Amino acid sequence: MPGMNPISEPHVAQPGLAVVDVAACDDQTAFLIQELLAGRWATATADRTTQVPGEPGVRLRCYLDVRQELAPQR
């Protein structure tokens, strides 16, 4: 994906590890999706989006460890 670093092997080296690329119309939507993922699983979050010139919307990449489900919030 232009503007983003290649996915490196450690990020997907074991079952349960995932790289999620979000494409959204705006920053607010992209960060909302990331927040929803981070509310459920251990997530290395991004602090900014990228935009490819000439392409619509923004992109965001975050890293998940779905082996570590978070406890429900009260």
Side-chain angles (χ1 to χ4, degrees), residues 3-31:
M4 290 192 165
N5 293 330
I7 296 169
S8 64
E9 188 173 343
H11 293 126
V12 292
Q14 300 174 29
L17 300 179
V19 177
V20 177
D21 288 326
V22 176
C25 65
D26 58 18
D27 287 355
Q28 182 179 0
T29 303
F31 286 120

Side-chain angles (χ1 to χ4, degrees), residues 33-43 64-73:
I33 297 300
Q34 178 177 255
E35 184 180 323
L36 292 170
L37 293 169
R40 172 120 191 221
W41 296 291
T43 307
L64 275 61
D65 184 344
V66 299
R67 302 169 299 180
Q68 298 181 35
E69 189 167 335
L70 302 179
Q73 295 181 1

Side-chain angles (χ1 to χ4, degrees), residues 32-55:
L32 176 61
I33 297 300
Q34 178 177 255
E35 184 180 323
L36 292 170
L37 293 169
R40 172 120 191 221
W41 296 291
T43 307
T45 57
D47 58 357
R48 65 181 180 87
T49 61
T50 60
Q51 188 170 21
V52 178
E55 289 188 13

